[in-house]
Amino acid sequence: MTGLQSYLDTFDAEPGYLDWAKFGPLSPSVRAEAHADAELLGSGRTSGIDLVAGRADEARELLAELLATTADHVTLQPSTTHGLMQALFGLTGAVVVSRHEFPSLSVAAERAAALGGATPRWLETPDTLVTPDAVRAALTDDVTALAVSAVDYRTGYRADLAGLRDVIGDRLLIVDAIQAFGVVDEQWDVADVVCGNGYKWLRAGRGTGFASFSDRALERLTPVLSGFAGMGGAVGAFPVPSPVPGAQAYTVTEPDHLATARLATAVRDIRDAGVSEVADLVRQRAREIAAVAERFGLTVVTPREAYRHAGIVSLAPEAGDTAPLAAALANHGVAASLRSGFVRMAAHAGTGEDSLRLLEGALAEFAGTRMR
């Protein structure tokens, strides 16, 4: 599959699906790959088993291309959280992290501190957003890292990664990229650790996590959670060998090869379509959703500047309006999520006009309940 239009033609989810920030329905190419590879793994032929296993290297090469790094700096992980824990458990000093981050970050930071590792320096801001100015005010000499989401899961706010890098200087920048990778045209190489997963915007299903580690990260992090897949020496060697140098030290076991094949397929699809082109369409769809919501009197908390948002549009209904709004959306077949009091919608590049019409119908019904 090549080209943007070919990519857009693969979107076959039910109209009204506006929950891509929660889960991305698997693409046709991913579904076909999963079926074919399952058959190969069921054949009992060494050639078929080895072929599927080889997709792990392919996935790392493709990820490295989009992350502006090399494959030997990329690891495959079961999830975003696994990658973030690899980074935070291996850190020393203090790490600046917002209390409002998705728990993948905040819980990992707390657990690392409980084991005597990095201490979270909780960031509090009036608007809950992680901005360069807010981080600058939180920096002290003992801060060794900043951990942040590239796109905030609650509001859709897109962090200024380049600005954050300028503020923190030589400290490590650890990024949760799950709500951005593949649909945001980002300069990923300003970060030291980038962790993501393919089950949302990439449409690859769960188990398709990954993490990249810069040379600076490899120098400063300790591979605390390194398993046999990340050790030097032969399997069964004793004393137990030390972790290998490089990014593969931050792995525990062999990856799920069915998952890595799905990931490789999905990353290739979005690479061939063009990340910049996909990102432009995702922003356009988000603007259209925001415009419809505001037309019906709903407050949009997602920043409206083109650079400051991705595909998420979060609405802040009055307390008494949340249930009627949710009911209206469900009545019209519109899938959305409730996050921290916000009604969160998320459109992809292939979200069509039929979904917007369903949303308009739902919001018209909701507006009618407010007028009674």
Side-chain angles (χ1 to χ4, degrees):
M1 185 187 73
T2 59
L4 180 61
Q5 189 55 54
S6 295
Y7 178 73
L8 297 179
D9 290 343
T10 67
F11 283 78
D12 56 358
E14 289 290 325
Y17 192 80
L18 297 177
D19 215 6
W20 291 92
K22 180 180 181 182
F23 179 79
L26 274 62
S27 70
S29 57
V30 164
R31 301 196 302 262
E33 185 64 39
H35 178 77
D37 289 343
E39 290 298 316
L40 287 172
L41 292 184
S43 69
R45 290 191 292 273
T46 300
S47 59
I49 295 169
D50 290 346
L51 178 64
V52 178
R55 301 301 299 277
D57 289 339
E58 182 183 353
R60 290 170 56 234
E61 291 281 356
L62 288 162
L63 288 164
E65 184 177 344
L66 297 192
L67 291 165
T69 186
T70 58
D72 60 336
H73 287 83
V74 177
T75 64
L76 300 177
Q77 305 284 343
S79 69
T80 308
T81 304
H82 281 79
L84 292 171
M85 294 184 81
Q86 287 281 4
L88 290 170
F89 277 55
L91 190 66
T92 58
V95 55
V96 174
V97 58
S98 171
R99 292 183 183 274
H100 301 283
E101 291 285 4
F102 190 78
S104 288
L105 273 174
S106 55
V107 172
E110 195 68 57
R111 299 292 185 263
L115 292 176
T119 303
R121 182 70 49 78
W122 299 114
L123 184 67
E124 288 284 6
T125 58
D127 56 8
T128 74
L129 304 181
V130 180
T131 64
D133 287 343
V135 171
R136 182 183 291 108
L139 293 179
T140 54
D141 289 344
D142 62 333
V143 171
T144 58
L146 165 67
V148 63
S149 293
V151 172
D152 177 43
Y153 80 103
R154 300 164 304 117
T155 65
Y157 168 76
R158 181 181 170 189
D160 180 1
L161 296 186
L164 293 171
R165 162 55 68 199
D166 288 343
V167 165
I168 67 173
D170 193 48
R171 298 173 175 90
L172 295 183
L173 177 56
I174 300 169
V175 177
D176 179 341
I178 192 169
Q179 294 292 10
F181 186 77
V183 292
V184 172
D185 194 9
E186 186 59 84
Q187 189 180 349
W188 294 114
D189 56 354
V190 303
D192 294 293
V193 180
V194 178
C195 304
N197 202 321
Y199 80 90
K200 295 179 186 281
W201 302 97
L202 295 183
R203 308 189 291 163
R206 284 192 173 271
T208 54
F210 59 88
S212 67
F213 298 84
S214 71
D215 288 336
R216 177 165 41 198
L218 295 175
E219 290 171 3
R220 299 182 188 178
L221 297 177
T222 302
V224 174
L225 300 178
S226 186
F228 82 88
M231 73 178 187
V235 174
F238 197 85
V240 173
S242 299
V244 296
Q248 294 312 302
Y250 298 88
T251 58
V252 175
T253 187
E254 291 296 317
D256 176 346
H257 291 127
L258 283 174
T260 58
R262 287 187 274 113
L263 178 61
T265 300
V267 175
R268 176 180 287 104
D269 285 352
I270 212 159
R271 189 274 311 270
D272 292 348
V275 173
S276 296
E277 290 78 4
V278 171
D280 286 344
L281 283 175
V282 168
R283 286 195 299 269
Q284 179 182 328
R285 299 293 179 262
R287 287 194 297 269
E288 291 167 352
I289 291 173
V292 170
E294 289 184 335
R295 195 164 77 240
F296 287 96
L298 285 162
T299 300
V300 177
V301 298
T302 304
R304 302 301 297 275
E305 300 88 345
Y307 181 75
R308 291 269 68 82
H309 72 82
I312 293 173
V313 178
S314 286
L315 313 179
E318 299 293 331
D321 286 340
T322 302
L325 175 57
L329 293 172
N331 290 342
H332 288 260
V334 176
S337 289
L338 185 64
R339 289 290 185 269
S340 302
F342 301 141
V343 175
R344 188 188 70 185
M345 301 179 190
H348 210 312
T351 299
E353 292 296 324
D354 47 1
S355 293
L356 289 175
R357 287 195 296 270
L358 289 174
L359 176 60
E360 287 179 334
L363 296 187
E365 177 185 316
F366 164 70
T369 67
R370 300 175 84 189
M371 296 167 58
R372 291 174 189 156

